[in-house]
Amino acid sequence: MVELEIDGQKVQVPDGAMVMDAATQLGIYVPHFCYHHKLTIAANCRMCLVDVEKAPKPLPACATPVAQGMVVRTHSERALQAQKGVMEFLLINHPLDCPICDQGGECQLQDLAVGYGSSASRYTEEKRVIFHKDVGPLIAMEEMSRCIQCTRCVRFGQEVAGIMELGMANRGEHSEIMAFVGSTVDSELSGNMIDLCPVGALTSKPFRYSARTWELSRRASISPHDSVGANLIVQVKGDRVMRVLPQENEAVNECWLSDRDRFAYEGLNGVERLTSPQIRENGQWKSVDWQTALDFTVQGLRRVVSQHGGDALAALAVPTSTVEELYLLKKLLAGLGSKSLDTRLRQSDFSADGQGAGVPWLGMPIAEMGQLQAALFIGSTLRKEQPLLSARVRHAAKAGAKISTLHAALDDWLMPMHARIAVAPSQWVVELAGVAAAVAQAKGIDMPSALQGVSAPSEQAQAIARSLLGAERKAVFLGDAAVQHDQSATLRALAQWIAQEVGGVCGDLTEAANTVGAALIGVSPMTPGHDVASIVAKSPRAMMLFGVEPEEDCANPVAMAHALEQAEFVVSFSPYVNAAEGYAHVMLPISPFTETAGSLVNAEGRLQSFNPVVQPLGETRPGWKVLRVLGNLLELQGFDYQSAAEIRTEAFAALGGADQIGARLAASASLALPTVLPTRAAAAIERFAPVPIYSSDAIVRRAPSLQRTRDARDARMVGVSAALWEQLGLQNGDSVRVKADADVVVLPARRDATLAPTVVSIPAAWAEAAELGPMFGAVQVERVAATSAASAVAHASPEKV
């Protein structure tokens, strides 16, 4: 430790720390622009000049290492004169457009100019002008003349996002920040550049000119768009969400947000919002009051249960539903004699149910992912599934961690990779068994019977085994595609065996905001044999869809549509008018997360509660209140709740309270390896069905700006491997005819060189591809004649806004 003095106060900091770190530890503010505690030091704004005793001139606090006995003055006459001189230089070319600047009221330059700027400028020449740039639908670079070249945005792209999409070109007064020629900013973390910009050069394009910061109320909330549970500051004007910003929580999202968390709020105010209860009569929908809609719902449910029994009733809920909503839905079904409830809508293999495998969760705190030394990711497109977790893993990889993958593609993780296996989904079990066999060989232990027939491990499998065995902190993770795979139980058993043998942890990169919470309170599933696949197969007489959009949220939309068509009575609880409109008999408008209170349990098992930030839109009501009233109208016992907190307490009572979540997760058991490893022959062409980042849930799918991004455009096309592209003779702009079983669709195609040779990527959560049925399996693909290509492109759906 090094001891120094700053403004008369003694402080001890680690050797190698900077003066800025020591000042921050003392709570002393040193003015700065380019410095940020999460980025490397640039020292190019010079605003943090301080007076260091015995130094010949003022030194930048952000780039001056501490020394034993150093004496620093941050507000001496010498320091203030230097800081005011820097401010004068910064304002020479800065446009005086604060009255129209979107950054006005929260601008770092504006704030510091009050204390360090002059009332008049000595510079009388013309100011420089930097032309605006179009870098996509999320970031506005319309007033780049405001830029002070702090390079925070450039460093963020390189160091945190992992891709340099902005850079500083030219020198001196001609320096300017720009994207590469003809490029847009497409990182899934790009919105953080807006937060980092200390002036109004980079602003939010969706928010631009819509409100002033002093007009907005700031309210805390939790993001429901992935399993991280990022902490949010939701800014509200009236009863409308205007902007979403990160709330710093080092253990969860640090100070960052993914673009999905940041810009999805646009979907809250879309034209597809369901604002009043609807009943279908004679094939026509009509708006009714809540009492009429609830009475109609109660009559329909009672009729089915009285005629066919409780087993004729089933419910499906999206895993973004709150703990309170899921608990009441479970209690409502149980009161009517049904056990058929599930939230694992995109899962297809439920053979592990009832084997005591416990609750799927991350297996470690989120913060520890950045400290891993080796990890194997199975079936994970981490950047697009969990952008904030990807940033932590990237940090570990830059520090030397050996990151390996088993997947259907060699997609760019924007980090150093150790070993990668890319094969068709049907071969994942065989390849993972090869990694397990390599671990057994490296340890010199007997092979389990399931691995006896495994061929010699590949070089990549051996490299993965060595990396896991040679590290102290290691993990094996199951991504979304591995959990959704039709052999997911075998993949899980192999992953858990590998993790156990190498002395690491096995975790799930859980798909949704409340996947863990649903499992903890016994919703996924209530009992074995009542999973979503069983529910769909038996076609219940009555179904309750809680937030479910059949075409986008299910593993097999064709089977789901068939089950809904066979049902006598279907109730749709949703904030939106959606595809369920074609099957439902009544639609009840429930609140999205900004209009209700509730709780979510994130991937690491952290319970986070939130309150509404705006009033419900129209006649919309919180889902837990709708279920509470339904329970009372059905004359069921125990639905007299006054608040969401009461429901939450009761929901976790079976665990011994919410504070026992961690113990419950830690006690999760492992699946036993099967006696014989199930394998299957590879098909000539196989479908891989990723869930696109901007199609993951109902709110995101209705955010116009996110739907204009490159990721969203690519998600509306079939990705064809390079080998198949050449084999089919495809050209840019061509379409393909895809056949799965008896279903045929014509879709636009794009070349994807990252895919395994026999794989085509046909995204899930895409209404045009819903007719193809299951997310995994053999498909036939052929080129569409050029004359029909234009009609195929026209067939693609317009943006959902």
Side-chain angles (χ1 to χ4, degrees), residues 564-575:
L564 292 172
E565 288 168 355
Q566 299 301 310
E568 297 176 11
F569 190 69
V570 177
V571 185
S572 175
F573 301 79
S574 176

Side-chain angles (χ1 to χ4, degrees), residues 276-336:
S276 65
Q278 306 273 318
I279 289 177
R280 186 168 64 179
E281 288 186 355
N282 301 319
Q284 300 295 320
W285 286 100
K286 70 172 187 178
S287 296
V288 296
D289 58 57
W290 268 104
Q291 188 63 51
T292 303
L294 291 172
D295 288 343
F296 182 81
T297 302
V298 168
Q299 291 169 11
L301 294 176
R302 279 180 171 163
R303 181 177 66 251
V304 170
V305 171
S306 63
Q307 292 177 1
H308 306 286
D311 288 340
L313 171 64
L316 299 175
V318 288
T320 56
S321 306
T322 65
V323 167
E324 293 79 1
E325 291 167 340
L326 293 177
Y327 179 74
L328 287 190
L329 188 58
K330 171 187 172 182
K331 191 171 182 178
L332 183 69
L333 258 69
L336 293 173

Side-chain angles (χ1 to χ4, degrees), residues 114-194:
V114 173
Y116 300 92
S118 311
S119 58
S121 173
R122 291 182 288 173
Y123 185 82
T124 58
E125 289 79 8
E126 290 184 1
K127 293 177 180 286
R128 70 171 187 172
V129 174
I130 305 296
F131 290 107
H132 73 275
K133 299 151 180 83
D134 185 2
V135 292
L138 304 180
I139 299 177
M141 297 180 71
E142 298 295 322
E143 291 90 10
M144 290 306 294
S145 296
R146 300 170 183 161
C147 178
I148 60 172
Q149 286 84 48
C150 71
T151 69
R152 279 185 177 183
C153 56
V154 178
R155 284 176 286 146
F156 173 83
Q158 290 176 301
E159 299 164 17
V160 180
I163 180 170
M164 185 176 177
E165 295 181 295
L166 294 179
M168 188 162 69
N170 306 318
R171 300 187 66 182
E173 69 171 343
H174 301 293
S175 298
E176 59 178 294
I177 300 294
M178 62 174 63
F180 293 96
V181 178
S183 298
T184 54
V185 176
D186 299 307
S187 166
E188 56 280 350
L189 296 169
S190 66
N192 293 291
M193 296 178 185
I194 300 169

